[in-house]
Amino acid sequence: MGTTLDATLDSMPPQVLVGLVTLAVVVLLRLRARPARTRRLVTGPVVVMVVGAFLLVPWLGLPSPGGGGATVAVAAADLVLTVGLGVARAVTVQLSPGAGDVVRYRYTAATVVLWAVSVALRFELADAGARLGASPAVTEGSVLLTLGLALLTQNLVVARNAARLRRAAAGAAPRERAPRLGAA
């Protein structure tokens, strides 16, 4: 490997490296059609979030050089980007009816591009947060927690869309919303 790549890998926190490897595996696996089973779509991201939360604990005691305001701002921006891009990626996931009531899903080129944009924006946000003096807990330590949230957001939308396609393929009427309380 080149010296620049070696230096980059040496300075990269383990959470970031694990997050990148985890994401690469997820993307590669989801380029092929897979059954959209809600339990599976939710379980993996929740496990990643739990591991991320566990690994984040030691980072929580680190001081925020720029004060709490920078940390809160970076955490809020990260949350908005994570959820927003998760929904955007979900819209690009291809769904197709399979045998029986199975709906299959797979990533498209647009999904992969949006993952690349997500990673680039996360690195930029972490860099900006470090320059502003945000706590390392939000700039580096929360990577796996954020990845889990990104996958969970995306997968919940995919599961909802798969359920709609499943109902449509079965000839069922779309589920009506429950009437609001107090509505005439």
Side-chain angles (χ1 to χ4, degrees), residues 17-30:
L17 193 55
V18 170
L20 289 172
V21 169
T22 301
L23 180 58
V25 169
V26 166
V27 169
L28 288 173
L29 289 175
R30 293 183 178 179

Side-chain angles (χ1 to χ4, degrees), residues 43-138:
T43 304
V46 168
V47 169
V48 173
M49 288 176 70
V50 168
V51 170
F54 178 76
L55 293 175
L56 180 61
V57 170
W59 293 77
L60 294 179
L62 297 176
S64 299
T71 299
V72 170
V74 170
D78 198 8
L79 180 65
V80 169
L81 282 172
T82 298
V83 171
L85 286 166
V87 171
R89 280 189 313 273
V91 173
T92 68
V93 171
Q94 181 183 23
L95 297 172
S96 54
D101 69 343
V102 175
V103 172
R104 301 180 70 77
Y105 75 102
R106 73 172 193 83
Y107 281 4
T108 62
T111 315
V112 175
V113 167
L114 282 173
W115 265 118
V117 168
S118 298
V119 169
L121 287 174
R122 180 62 168 89
F123 274 111
E124 288 298 319
L125 182 62
D127 186 52
R131 285 193 316 273
L132 292 170
S135 169
V138 297

Side-chain angles (χ1 to χ4, degrees), residues 30-41:
R30 293 183 178 179
L31 287 172
R32 292 181 41 188
R34 306 166 57 89
R37 294 190 177 98
T38 303
R39 183 177 296 178
R40 264 191 128 169
L41 287 168

